[in-house]
Amino acid sequence: MCLDLEGCGFANREKARFCAHCGIPLEGTFLQGRYEVQELALKERKTVTLCALDRHQGQSVLVRALIPQSATEDEREEFLQDAELAASLSERVEDPGSVRVLDYGQDGPLVFLIKAEQRGGRGNSQQEHSQLAWNASAGGEEFALDINGDDDATVLRMPALSQLKNAKRPQESQPDPLTRGHVAYEQGEYEAALRYYEQAIEQDVVSIEAWAGKGAALLSLEQLDEALLAYDHTISLCPNDPELWTSRANVLHELRRFDEEMDCYEQALRYDPNYIYAWSGRGMALAEQEKSEEALMAFDKALLLDPRQSVVWQAMSDTLYSLHRYEEALIAVNRVFEIDANNVSALDTKGNILRRLGDAAEALPLHEEALELEQENATLWFDKGNDLRDLKRYEEALAAYDHALTLDQTMAGAWYNRGNVLAAQQKFEDALASYDYALQYDDGLTSAWYNKGSLLHELQRYEEALMAFDRALAGDIHYIAAWNNKGLSLYALGRLDEALAALDQATSFAPDEPDAWYNRAVVLQRLGRKQEAISCQEWARSLEQRANGSEAS
């Protein structure tokens, strides 16, 4: 059985190394002939953490890996690059409680890193990094938190491909096995449907409809390899049916065999260039592979053929949202409401679009309306909390985040934003505890490490702050604010040369940002390098004047 019993639970063939459904390694699998996988420790949206034994060293380790089913090629490459950086930074961390990334690599469909403790590793959060200014002319320090990132807010949520169309069902007068199979399938009784379809095949071995029904039932039962065989046989009986090619594409999509999936859509469109479900399915698949522009073109074609496809409008809106094209996303989601007024996903998406456009007051009623339809939806409570946070209604925001966490205590984004609200209320110790929970469930939240470091600095716990900033930089080497604040903590400890090196990194990555230049000037002044300090101050002022001039124009 797959180690992810709740989320997958696929029964694999004997001697398989990786789950045929989700792709994670099975119990007893040796990664690169060394790390023996023992059990699942934690599953997140796109990653898993597995307990394993390093047979070379005889020690227990943790394996953090991308879920192959959910990862694109670009994400795999980014994961390995981040793992290499984390391993490099780990070599310089020597304190007993620290995380050490011991190894990383790829085995079969899996990219992974090996770490010695539960915490640490990589992060690829793409938050908007607020600059924490240290104003040299005022001679003081001013810290701000990165509180505007919605780590678990609405992202691309492609509907299941099976939602695109209702399968054709014949109107039979006799309760023969084929009809019984259709009825059972419509009622969600897939095991029974499979038995009836197999009976129908026994009666008529060349029944296209029975073979297609068998494939659909097997797909619903997540018996993907068997479903693919059933559709292959169906297509051999009727090779020019675009619906069959699209159904086969659905199976390949679940198997994460994207190139073959695309070939199926091409075959379907070859036989019928106006087959809407091939265009929409192709768009869904491209969107999940983060080929957003190509996906939008496919959605356009599908909607030209049938503009009443609310699922396609929803997918188009989510894709535009992922590209930060919020005005266009708003137009698309409004088309969903014209077709389906009570679409919860559309209400959520529209609310998040409006908040991103700076109108949290308009977003809040939409999330409240969605919650009237789905009270137990943790994501909706989370998004309502984000609206209230932006409206500075902090106590209500905390209540919303807390409610989301009663429904899903592993929601790292809710713990993170809860910490941000507590920090805004100057409740620093409570905020730190909330960040710790966020990092327990997702140790790759770089902005949580950064905010934790900033609060620790405020509390004058500079050594701990440095550790947190280093974790943030392990996840995002270009995190300018983290380099800036690391420099401030080093300065507070009197480690001036190291502080200057950190600020040099900040200015090299963001040469047009004045804050780090001011900070650099202060450090140079303390080092007795007065002329260089003056030059930095003058350059920072010129950058500010240029920025103010641009804003005025």
Side-chain angles (χ1 to χ4, degrees), residues 144-213:
L145 297 181
D146 185 2
I147 66 171
N148 295 317
D150 299 340
D151 291 283
D152 279 347
T154 297
V155 293
L156 193 61
R157 299 183 316 266
M158 292 298 104
L161 294 179
S162 58
Q163 289 181 244
L164 292 172
K165 59 190 294 298
N166 294 318
K168 300 174 184 176
R169 297 289 176 251
Q171 301 297 319
E172 300 280 352
S173 58
Q174 298 297 322
D176 57 77
L178 187 59
T179 302
R180 290 180 177 179
H182 294 332
V183 172
Y185 184 88
E186 291 291 351
Q187 294 175 346
E189 299 171 358
Y190 303 123
E191 293 280 4
L194 181 59
R195 289 195 299 272
Y196 286 129
Y197 288 135
E198 288 176 339
Q199 290 175 20
I201 290 169
E202 289 177 3
Q203 294 179 4
D204 182 1
V205 74
V206 294
S207 171
I208 296 170
E209 196 168 0
W211 277 106

Side-chain angles (χ1 to χ4, degrees), residues 341-363:
N342 294 317
N343 188 305
V344 172
S345 293
L347 286 165
D348 188 32
T349 298
K350 184 173 181 179
N352 284 304
I353 292 169
L354 289 171
R355 187 176 68 251
R356 290 293 189 184
L357 290 171
D359 199 348
E362 290 293 325

Side-chain angles (χ1 to χ4, degrees), residues 331-343:
I331 294 170
V333 80
N334 282 336
R335 293 300 300 270
V336 178
F337 290 118
E338 294 174 10
I339 303 164
D340 182 2
N342 294 317
N343 188 305

Side-chain angles (χ1 to χ4, degrees), residues 391-412:
L391 292 168
K392 301 188 185 307
R393 292 161 57 178
Y394 292 139
E395 292 300 332
E396 294 171 85
L398 286 174
Y401 291 138
D402 286 343
H403 196 92
L405 291 166
T406 63
L407 298 171
D408 181 4
Q409 70 173 9
T410 68
M411 185 178 279

Side-chain angles (χ1 to χ4, degrees), residues 49-68:
T49 300
L50 305 157
C51 297
L53 182 64
D54 181 353
R55 289 297 185 182
H56 289 191
Q57 299 295 328
Q59 65 174 333
S60 295
V61 296
L62 290 178
V63 180
R64 182 176 174 86
L66 284 182
I67 300 173

Side-chain angles (χ1 to χ4, degrees), residues 4 106 128-129 141 155 187 258 309 378 422 448:
D4 181 15
Q106 181 166 357
E128 297 175 1
H129 299 156
E141 301 174 16
V155 293
Q187 294 175 346
F258 295 123
Q309 288 283 329
L422 289 165

Side-chain angles (χ1 to χ4, degrees), residues 159-162 164 241-254 257-289 298:
L161 294 179
S162 58
L164 292 172
D241 186 337
E243 181 176 347
L244 295 178
W245 283 105
T246 303
S247 297
R248 185 176 188 268
N250 293 350
V251 182
L252 291 164
H253 181 87
E254 294 301 314
R257 290 159 61 176
F258 295 123
D259 290 341
E260 295 172 78
E261 178 188 5
M262 290 297 150
D263 289 340
C264 286
Y265 293 130
E266 293 300 327
Q267 287 289 347
L269 294 168
R270 174 186 170 194
Y271 292 115
D272 183 357
N274 293 320
Y275 188 57
I276 182 175
Y277 302 113
W279 282 112
S280 51
R282 187 174 188 272
M284 302 285 188
L286 287 165
E288 286 198 23
Q289 296 173 63

